[in-house]
Amino acid sequence: MRWLSCVLLLLGLAACDAAGPGFYGAEKRIREVEGARFTLRFQGNLVEATRTNPEWLPRFPDVARKAGIAAQIESGCRADWVEGDPAMMWIGLSCDGKPAPKRPRRPKTIFCDIGDITRRGATYAGALNCRK
């Protein structure tokens, strides 16, 4: 029974389409392209696209292409770039010959290794050695 509850919770969260920062209160539009369903929110010429259909191991280039098409259909503008991951993307639109907004900066990634691990009972402690 506990397993079934977890599965139902995960399925409910998988279809979540809450607005991201900067898109609260924006009108949402639902569009389906080639079997992929997106919730689109527009803030000027920037679009937040959230994929709401279940898909097994989606590849970003495939999903990004479909999200770009959905944004173009809904806006009538050209999708200039798509950033994000297969679940949520930002799309820059070029409308009426005007340039698309700048791409959002990607967060900096830091790689860390765990070293000097010690164990006391069921608790582990260690040191992180990080680099950019």
Side-chain angles (χ1 to χ4, degrees):
M1 188 65 174
R2 175 187 266 170
W3 183 81
L4 179 63
S5 299
C6 290
V7 169
L8 291 175
L9 176 65
L10 288 174
L11 287 175
L13 291 175
C16 181
D17 70 346
F23 291 90
Y24 297 116
E27 174 191 355
K28 75 177 186 178
R29 301 181 203 169
I30 310 295
R31 175 60 70 170
E32 191 165 325
V33 174
E34 298 176 16
R37 189 174 48 256
F38 299 96
T39 299
L40 304 169
R41 288 186 171 80
F42 292 80
Q43 287 290 346
N45 56 356
L46 187 62
V47 180
E48 178 187 69
T50 306
R51 185 177 54 83
T52 57
N53 65 302
E55 194 172 328
W56 182 255
L57 298 174
R59 294 184 56 235
F60 179 73
D62 299 332
V63 176
R65 182 184 63 78
K66 294 173 189 176
I69 292 170
Q72 289 178 152
I73 291 170
E74 285 294 321
S75 68
C77 299
R78 183 176 59 86
D80 197 42
W81 53 262
V82 180
E83 287 285 330
D85 60 53
M88 196 186 90
M89 293 143 276
W90 297 276
I91 303 166
L93 298 176
S94 175
C95 301
D96 301 324
K98 296 178 184 171
K102 292 182 180 180
R103 290 177 183 241
R105 290 191 325 171
R106 291 184 177 215
K108 298 199 185 288
T109 303
I110 298 175
F111 299 96
C112 298
D113 295 317
I114 300 174
D116 302 327
I117 297 175
T118 58
R119 177 179 176 193
R120 182 181 293 170
T123 304
Y124 292 88
L128 288 177
N129 300 316
C130 299
R131 63 193 179 287
K132 288 185 179 180

